[in-house]
Structure formats: C-alpha cells, structure tokens
Amino acid sequence: MLVAAAVCPCPPLLVPDVAAGAAPELDAARTACTDALGVLAASRPDRLLVVGPAEESGRGPHPAGTRGSFRGFGVDLDVTLGAGTAAAAAEERKLPPALAVAAWLLERTGWSEAPVEGLGVGEPLAAERCVEVGRGIGRQSQRVALLVMGDASACRTLKSPGYLDERAAGFDAEVARALGAADVSALKALDAELAYELKASGRAPWQVLAGAAENTGLAGTLLYEDAPYGVGYVVAAWS
C-alpha cells in the first residue's frame, strides 16, 4: 500500500555542481525537495520506489546500487541509487538522468529509512497504462513510499527549451493544483498529447502516482511551484 509520496522536479540543474554559478537560483526548490523527502521518511515505509521519466534505454526497474552520472553535463560526479551493490546483470545499466537527480537528492538527505528501487517510465506511455502500473504498486502488501520525479511544461517563456506556448501556464497551474491537493482524478485526466506538445516530462510519472494513490485518502501539500528557466518545477508531498 502507498503510505506517502514526494513529487520533485528532475532538472540536472538541481545539482549545484551542474548549475555552477547559477546554483542559488534553485535553492528554494532544493529546500522544498528536502522537506518532501522528510515527509517520506516520517511515513516509515518498508520500501521506497523512485519513479521518473526515461528514454527507452533507461526504462524498467533499477535495483538498489545502480549507478548514475552527471559526466554528460560536464561534471565529474557519480551517484548511486540507495545502498548496496547492484547485481551483476545491472552493472551495465545506468540511471536515466531523472533517477540520477533523485539519487543525488537521496544521498544529499542521507536517506537510510528503507531500501530503494527505481522505475523509469517512458514519456509516450498511455495514461491508462501509467495508472495500471501505479495500481500494481498500490496493491503491494508492503508499506511503499514513492519519490516521483518530473517537470511540468518547458514552454513558459520565449527562452524556454520549447519556446513560448500560451497553453503552458494554464497546464502548469492545473498540475500544481492537482499535485498540491492530491487530486488523483485530475492527474489521471491530464491530456497526454498536450503534455507531450508542452514537453512536460512528469505526466507519465504523475499518472503512475495517481494509480498508486487510489483509495488511500492521502492529503497533499504544495511546497514549491515556479518556472525559473521557463520550465515548470513543482514540489509536493502526500501523506
């Protein structure tokens, strides 16, 4: 059963070494992520599952001990998902960037409350399938907490990665409202095609969360919402 969830953005810029001189611009987001992880720790889960967007090579399960790197962003920094050593079959796998950011957050906060696993979700995954994956998580007998990584639209300003799209602000506002209110129905109803057009990487992970949270009665709190680089970043905690 799902006992708590934290929703965090996943830009590599969240890692100060990657952001370099621009690091202070996301200090408030980092603080909010730390607070959200505190909610997960307080729930005393048996297992923490990290869910985030991934390209085809990064999809599927990532066991504890799977390594990630920020070398592709010009930084000599490696991270490991949770404690332990990955099995030999997983040694060749690398965490997708979103899960590497999650691993960095967990290392930064000293997570030790429960074993950690990762799940990369493909951006094109249909809403119904996302929800069904989440339901499978929610049906587990263990007390499961979710760390859900993903960004809202990347089209908030002219300098955004996706340029300016007038629909982006409204989409992001609804996402922030739904995540802050733990509105499962609203998350299920997010338009996958619109999310794709707005380059919102969090849509599929959020809908996995919605499936896992069905009938749990979890309440949400919005901890952060902004678009400092023209990309919507949201932090929320459910408990």
Side-chain angles (χ1 to χ4, degrees):
M1 63 177 290
L2 183 69
V3 295
V7 177
C8 294
C10 60
L13 287 173
L14 204 61
V15 179
D17 287 358
V18 176
E25 296 177 19
L26 288 179
D27 279 347
R30 294 184 194 98
T31 298
C33 290
T34 298
D35 292 344
L37 288 174
V39 172
L40 295 187
S43 73
R44 298 184 180 278
D46 298 319
R47 174 173 167 248
L48 174 63
L49 180 62
V50 181
V51 181
E55 300 294 334
E56 186 171 355
S57 62
R59 296 175 194 172
H62 297 275
T66 305
R67 297 184 64 79
S69 173
F70 294 97
R71 296 174 190 271
F73 300 96
V75 175
D76 185 12
L77 176 65
D78 297 321
V79 291
T80 302
L81 185 66
T85 302
E91 281 293 332
E92 297 303 318
R93 300 198 69 185
K94 297 297 182 185
L95 294 174
L99 297 192
V101 173
W104 176 83
L105 285 172
L106 292 168
E107 289 183 0
R108 178 175 183 257
T109 56
W111 178 269
S112 61
E113 282 70 16
V116 182
E117 297 175 59
L119 178 64
V121 181
E123 184 179 13
L125 194 63
E128 296 79 8
R129 179 61 181 142
C130 292
V131 171
E132 187 54 40
V133 170
R135 286 173 179 153
I137 295 168
R139 285 194 292 263
Q140 297 181 17
S141 59
Q142 290 181 309
R143 292 170 55 83
V144 179
L146 284 179
L147 173 53
V148 184
M149 309 297 292
D151 299 338
S153 77
C155 303
R156 290 280 290 272
T157 68
L158 291 173
K159 294 183 178 181
S160 298
Y163 198 65
L164 175 66
D165 190 310
E166 299 294 345
R167 302 170 295 175
F171 177 87
D172 288 358
E174 173 58 12
V175 164
R177 187 206 64 77
L179 291 172
D183 189 336
V184 169
S185 296
L187 292 175
K188 289 180 185 177
L190 289 175
D191 186 327
E193 183 175 350
L194 176 59
Y196 178 78
E197 292 173 0
L198 296 177
K199 304 183 184 300
S201 68
R203 190 275 307 171
W206 299 331
Q207 290 181 324
V208 171
L209 168 60
E214 285 181 341
N215 304 314
T216 61
L218 295 180
T221 302
L222 184 64
L223 301 175
Y224 176 89
E225 192 276 322
D226 202 356
Y229 301 109
V231 181
Y233 299 147
V234 179
V235 181
W238 294 19
S239 63

